[in-house]
Amino acid sequence: MVDFHTHILPKMDDGSDSAEESAAMLKQLAAQGVDTVALTSHFYARDEAPDSFLERREKALERLQPVLTEDGMPRVLSGAEVYYFRGFSRIGQLPDLRMEGSRILLLEMPFCTWGEKELGEIIDLCGDPSFVVLLAHVERYWKYQKASVWDRLLSAGVMTQSNAECFLYPRTRRKAARLVQNGYIHVLGTDCHNMGARQPRMGEAVAVLERQLGSETTRRFTARGEEYLEEWRV
Ligand SMILES: [Fe+2]
């Protein structure tokens, strides 16, 4: 199983604070059946140049290296959670912000109704064969856009990631399971930040999905993550 969205790299953002905490997060994910973890630290173009981000990411990965070679650790893929700004698709180093080995760009959008400029830029990027746009924690934007906007984005090839947590709350879990069933949610991520209030909860989310959709549908859904990584290889 793949976790497409985490803040595990130590001291990169508001996620893990140390290599020890990162190790605990990775171990917890492994125990929950996750064998591939995307390391998607926040990237804010308004605060930092891509070069500086990539250099910091490299160093954080080096700090984590001794942990990654321990027995039973999941495979990790470096990546980024790129925050949208108008013109983001023209960043020269955008390909370097994709998930390692793949064309996937994890994109975080503002929590508001998107206008034609935003929609047009996402849809245009989907037309570029070098990228697969994966919208981070899609459930957070759901209510702000009309149903027709989602249909438009999905038919342009936009992919969606949902946070494991939204399968855990009684208020949202039924709807989330329905969205998986109807093909509006493509992949899962924990969006874990630490071992406290925002720890990895993939195992619990999968258990809820199994109760809602049955084990075979859930198995097929979670297996799709690996298939997408293969399908979207660089
Ligand atoms: Fe995140």
Side-chain angles (χ1 to χ4, degrees), residues 162-194:
S162 185
N163 278 3
E165 278 176 355
C166 81
F167 295 88
L168 305 183
Y169 303 127
R171 220 161 37 85
T172 52
R173 68 183 170 210
R174 272 200 192 82
K175 182 175 181 189
R178 222 173 30 246
L179 291 172
V180 167
Q181 199 160 30
N182 296 336
Y184 287 98
I185 292 172
H186 299 109
V187 297
L188 296 180
T190 58
D191 199 3
C192 57
H193 279 64
N194 50 47

Short mmCIF file of all heavy atoms in Angstrom, two decimals, residues 162-194:
data_model
loop_
_atom_site.label_atom_id
_atom_site.label_comp_id
_atom_site.label_asym_id
_atom_site.label_seq_id
_atom_site.Cartn_x
_atom_site.Cartn_y
_atom_site.Cartn_z
N SER A 162 -7.04 11.64 -0.99
CA SER A 162 -7.86 11.95 0.17
C SER A 162 -7.09 11.58 1.43
O SER A 162 -6.33 10.61 1.43
CB SER A 162 -9.15 11.14 0.06
OG SER A 162 -9.99 11.49 1.09
N ASN A 163 -7.29 12.35 2.51
CA ASN A 163 -6.60 12.03 3.76
C ASN A 163 -7.29 10.89 4.49
O ASN A 163 -8.53 10.83 4.55
CB ASN A 163 -6.57 13.26 4.67
CG ASN A 163 -5.45 14.22 4.30
OD1 ASN A 163 -4.72 13.99 3.33
ND2 ASN A 163 -5.30 15.26 5.08
N ALA A 164 -6.47 10.02 5.05
CA ALA A 164 -6.99 8.87 5.80
C ALA A 164 -7.99 9.32 6.86
O ALA A 164 -9.02 8.67 7.09
CB ALA A 164 -5.83 8.12 6.44
N GLU A 165 -7.71 10.45 7.49
CA GLU A 165 -8.55 10.92 8.60
C GLU A 165 -10.02 11.10 8.22
O GLU A 165 -10.90 10.93 9.05
CB GLU A 165 -8.02 12.25 9.12
CG GLU A 165 -6.89 12.05 10.09
CD GLU A 165 -6.28 13.35 10.54
OE1 GLU A 165 -6.69 14.40 10.01
OE2 GLU A 165 -5.39 13.29 11.38
N CYS A 166 -10.28 11.48 6.96
CA CYS A 166 -11.69 11.76 6.65
C CYS A 166 -12.52 10.48 6.60
O CYS A 166 -13.75 10.55 6.56
CB CYS A 166 -11.84 12.64 5.41
SG CYS A 166 -11.72 11.80 3.88
N PHE A 167 -11.85 9.32 6.67
CA PHE A 167 -12.59 8.05 6.76
C PHE A 167 -12.88 7.69 8.22
O PHE A 167 -13.54 6.71 8.50
CB PHE A 167 -11.81 6.92 6.09
CG PHE A 167 -11.66 7.15 4.62
CD1 PHE A 167 -10.60 7.89 4.12
CD2 PHE A 167 -12.61 6.67 3.73
CE1 PHE A 167 -10.47 8.14 2.77
CE2 PHE A 167 -12.50 6.92 2.37
CZ PHE A 167 -11.43 7.66 1.89
N LEU A 168 -12.35 8.49 9.12
CA LEU A 168 -12.45 8.15 10.54
C LEU A 168 -13.55 8.90 11.27
O LEU A 168 -14.01 8.48 12.32
CB LEU A 168 -11.11 8.41 11.24
CG LEU A 168 -9.91 7.70 10.61
CD1 LEU A 168 -8.65 7.97 11.40
CD2 LEU A 168 -10.16 6.21 10.50
N TYR A 169 -13.97 10.04 10.75
CA TYR A 169 -14.97 10.83 11.45
C TYR A 169 -16.37 10.39 11.05
O TYR A 169 -16.68 10.28 9.86
CB TYR A 169 -14.80 12.33 11.14
CG TYR A 169 -13.42 12.83 11.47
CD1 TYR A 169 -12.66 13.52 10.53
CD2 TYR A 169 -12.88 12.62 12.74
CE1 TYR A 169 -11.39 13.97 10.84
CE2 TYR A 169 -11.61 13.08 13.05
CZ TYR A 169 -10.87 13.75 12.10
OH TYR A 169 -9.61 14.18 12.40
N PRO A 170 -17.23 10.17 12.03
CA PRO A 170 -18.60 9.72 11.72
C PRO A 170 -19.30 10.66 10.74
O PRO A 170 -20.09 10.23 9.92
CB PRO A 170 -19.30 9.74 13.09
CG PRO A 170 -18.21 9.67 14.10
CD PRO A 170 -16.98 10.27 13.48
N ARG A 171 -18.98 11.94 10.79
CA ARG A 171 -19.65 12.94 9.96
C ARG A 171 -19.26 12.83 8.47
O ARG A 171 -20.01 13.19 7.59
CB ARG A 171 -19.27 14.34 10.47
CG ARG A 171 -20.38 15.34 10.50
CD ARG A 171 -20.06 16.52 11.42
NE ARG A 171 -18.65 16.93 11.40
CZ ARG A 171 -18.14 17.77 10.52
NH1 ARG A 171 -18.87 18.29 9.59
NH2 ARG A 171 -16.86 18.08 10.58
N THR A 172 -18.04 12.35 8.20
CA THR A 172 -17.55 12.38 6.81
C THR A 172 -17.29 10.99 6.20
O THR A 172 -17.13 10.87 5.00
CB THR A 172 -16.22 13.17 6.72
OG1 THR A 172 -15.30 12.64 7.70
CG2 THR A 172 -16.44 14.65 6.98
N ARG A 173 -17.24 9.96 7.06
CA ARG A 173 -16.74 8.69 6.51
C ARG A 173 -17.64 8.04 5.47
O ARG A 173 -17.15 7.43 4.54
CB ARG A 173 -16.37 7.72 7.63
CG ARG A 173 -17.53 7.20 8.44
CD ARG A 173 -17.02 6.32 9.56
NE ARG A 173 -18.09 6.01 10.46
CZ ARG A 173 -17.93 5.79 11.76
NH1 ARG A 173 -16.74 5.85 12.29
NH2 ARG A 173 -18.96 5.51 12.52
N ARG A 174 -18.96 8.19 5.62
CA ARG A 174 -19.85 7.56 4.63
C ARG A 174 -19.68 8.22 3.27
O ARG A 174 -19.59 7.56 2.25
CB ARG A 174 -21.30 7.63 5.08
CG ARG A 174 -21.66 6.47 5.92
CD ARG A 174 -23.13 6.17 6.03
NE ARG A 174 -23.28 5.20 7.11
CZ ARG A 174 -23.31 5.52 8.40
NH1 ARG A 174 -23.25 6.79 8.78
NH2 ARG A 174 -23.42 4.59 9.32
N LYS A 175 -19.64 9.56 3.30
CA LYS A 175 -19.50 10.29 2.05
C LYS A 175 -18.13 9.95 1.40
O LYS A 175 -18.05 9.73 0.19
CB LYS A 175 -19.59 11.80 2.29
CG LYS A 175 -19.50 12.56 0.98
CD LYS A 175 -19.71 14.03 1.10
CE LYS A 175 -19.61 14.63 -0.29
NZ LYS A 175 -19.58 16.05 -0.31
N ALA A 176 -17.09 9.89 2.23
CA ALA A 176 -15.76 9.59 1.70
C ALA A 176 -15.74 8.22 1.02
O ALA A 176 -15.19 8.06 -0.07
CB ALA A 176 -14.73 9.67 2.82
N ALA A 177 -16.37 7.24 1.67
CA ALA A 177 -16.40 5.90 1.08
C ALA A 177 -17.17 5.91 -0.24
O ALA A 177 -16.79 5.26 -1.21
CB ALA A 177 -17.05 4.92 2.06
N ARG A 178 -18.25 6.71 -0.29
CA ARG A 178 -19.04 6.81 -1.52
C ARG A 178 -18.20 7.44 -2.64
O ARG A 178 -18.26 7.04 -3.79
CB ARG A 178 -20.29 7.65 -1.25
CG ARG A 178 -21.51 7.10 -1.90
CD ARG A 178 -22.82 7.76 -1.56
NE ARG A 178 -22.77 9.16 -1.23
CZ ARG A 178 -23.05 9.66 -0.03
NH1 ARG A 178 -23.38 8.85 0.97
NH2 ARG A 178 -23.00 10.95 0.20
N LEU A 179 -17.39 8.43 -2.28
CA LEU A 179 -16.55 9.10 -3.28
C LEU A 179 -15.50 8.13 -3.84
O LEU A 179 -15.17 8.17 -5.02
CB LEU A 179 -15.88 10.34 -2.69
CG LEU A 179 -16.82 11.51 -2.36
CD1 LEU A 179 -16.08 12.62 -1.60
CD2 LEU A 179 -17.45 12.09 -3.63
N VAL A 180 -15.00 7.25 -2.97
CA VAL A 180 -14.06 6.22 -3.45
C VAL A 180 -14.78 5.32 -4.44
O VAL A 180 -14.30 5.05 -5.55
CB VAL A 180 -13.50 5.38 -2.26
CG1 VAL A 180 -12.78 4.13 -2.78
CG2 VAL A 180 -12.56 6.22 -1.40
N GLN A 181 -15.96 4.87 -4.02
CA GLN A 181 -16.73 3.94 -4.85
C GLN A 181 -17.06 4.54 -6.22
O GLN A 181 -17.04 3.84 -7.22
CB GLN A 181 -18.02 3.60 -4.12
CG GLN A 181 -18.67 2.34 -4.61
CD GLN A 181 -19.63 1.81 -3.55
OE1 GLN A 181 -20.21 2.58 -2.78
NE2 GLN A 181 -19.80 0.51 -3.51
N ASN A 182 -17.34 5.85 -6.24
CA ASN A 182 -17.75 6.49 -7.49
C ASN A 182 -16.57 7.05 -8.30
O ASN A 182 -16.77 7.74 -9.29
CB ASN A 182 -18.76 7.61 -7.20
CG ASN A 182 -20.04 7.04 -6.61
OD1 ASN A 182 -20.36 5.87 -6.82
ND2 ASN A 182 -20.76 7.85 -5.86
N GLY A 183 -15.35 6.79 -7.83
CA GLY A 183 -14.17 7.18 -8.61
C GLY A 183 -13.76 8.64 -8.46
O GLY A 183 -12.98 9.14 -9.26
N TYR A 184 -14.25 9.32 -7.42
CA TYR A 184 -13.84 10.71 -7.21
C TYR A 184 -12.59 10.81 -6.33
O TYR A 184 -11.98 11.87 -6.24
CB TYR A 184 -14.97 11.52 -6.57
CG TYR A 184 -16.09 11.83 -7.53
CD1 TYR A 184 -17.25 11.07 -7.55
CD2 TYR A 184 -15.98 12.90 -8.42
CE1 TYR A 184 -18.28 11.35 -8.45
CE2 TYR A 184 -17.00 13.19 -9.31
CZ TYR A 184 -18.15 12.41 -9.32
OH TYR A 184 -19.16 12.71 -10.21
N ILE A 185 -12.25 9.73 -5.65
CA ILE A 185 -11.01 9.70 -4.86
C ILE A 185 -10.16 8.57 -5.44
O ILE A 185 -10.60 7.42 -5.52
CB ILE A 185 -11.29 9.42 -3.36
CG1 ILE A 185 -12.02 10.62 -2.74
CG2 ILE A 185 -9.99 9.15 -2.61
CD1 ILE A 185 -12.51 10.39 -1.33
N HIS A 186 -8.95 8.92 -5.87
CA HIS A 186 -8.10 7.92 -6.52
C HIS A 186 -7.11 7.25 -5.58
O HIS A 186 -6.86 6.06 -5.69
CB HIS A 186 -7.34 8.57 -7.69
CG HIS A 186 -8.25 9.13 -8.72
ND1 HIS A 186 -8.43 10.47 -8.92
CD2 HIS A 186 -9.07 8.51 -9.61
CE1 HIS A 186 -9.31 10.67 -9.89
NE2 HIS A 186 -9.72 9.50 -10.32
N VAL A 187 -6.49 8.06 -4.69
CA VAL A 187 -5.47 7.48 -3.82
C VAL A 187 -5.59 8.07 -2.40
O VAL A 187 -6.21 9.11 -2.19
CB VAL A 187 -4.03 7.72 -4.35
CG1 VAL A 187 -3.83 7.05 -5.69
CG2 VAL A 187 -3.70 9.21 -4.43
N LEU A 188 -4.92 7.39 -1.46
CA LEU A 188 -4.96 7.81 -0.05
C LEU A 188 -3.61 8.35 0.40
O LEU A 188 -2.56 7.95 -0.12
CB LEU A 188 -5.31 6.63 0.84
CG LEU A 188 -6.67 5.99 0.69
CD1 LEU A 188 -6.81 4.83 1.68
CD2 LEU A 188 -7.78 7.01 0.90
N GLY A 189 -3.66 9.22 1.37
CA GLY A 189 -2.45 9.69 2.05
C GLY A 189 -2.83 9.92 3.49
O GLY A 189 -4.01 10.17 3.80
N THR A 190 -1.84 9.82 4.39
CA THR A 190 -2.18 10.09 5.79
C THR A 190 -2.02 11.58 6.12
O THR A 190 -2.62 12.06 7.06
CB THR A 190 -1.27 9.29 6.74
OG1 THR A 190 0.08 9.64 6.46
CG2 THR A 190 -1.49 7.80 6.58
N ASP A 191 -1.18 12.29 5.37
CA ASP A 191 -0.87 13.69 5.68
C ASP A 191 -0.37 13.77 7.13
O ASP A 191 -0.64 14.75 7.83
CB ASP A 191 -2.12 14.57 5.47
CG ASP A 191 -1.77 16.05 5.32
OD1 ASP A 191 -0.57 16.39 5.32
OD2 ASP A 191 -2.71 16.87 5.22
N CYS A 192 0.36 12.72 7.56
CA CYS A 192 0.83 12.70 8.95
C CYS A 192 1.92 13.75 9.14
O CYS A 192 2.73 14.00 8.25
CB CYS A 192 1.34 11.31 9.32
SG CYS A 192 2.65 10.67 8.27
N HIS A 193 1.89 14.36 10.33
CA HIS A 193 2.87 15.42 10.64
C HIS A 193 3.75 15.07 11.84
O HIS A 193 4.79 15.69 12.03
CB HIS A 193 2.14 16.73 10.96
CG HIS A 193 1.71 17.50 9.74
ND1 HIS A 193 0.80 17.03 8.84
CD2 HIS A 193 2.08 18.73 9.29
CE1 HIS A 193 0.62 17.93 7.88
NE2 HIS A 193 1.39 18.96 8.13
N ASN A 194 3.30 14.14 12.66
CA ASN A 194 4.04 13.86 13.91
C ASN A 194 3.51 12.55 14.50
O ASN A 194 2.73 11.84 13.87
CB ASN A 194 3.86 15.02 14.90
CG ASN A 194 2.39 15.40 15.05
OD1 ASN A 194 1.52 14.55 15.23
ND2 ASN A 194 2.09 16.69 14.93
#
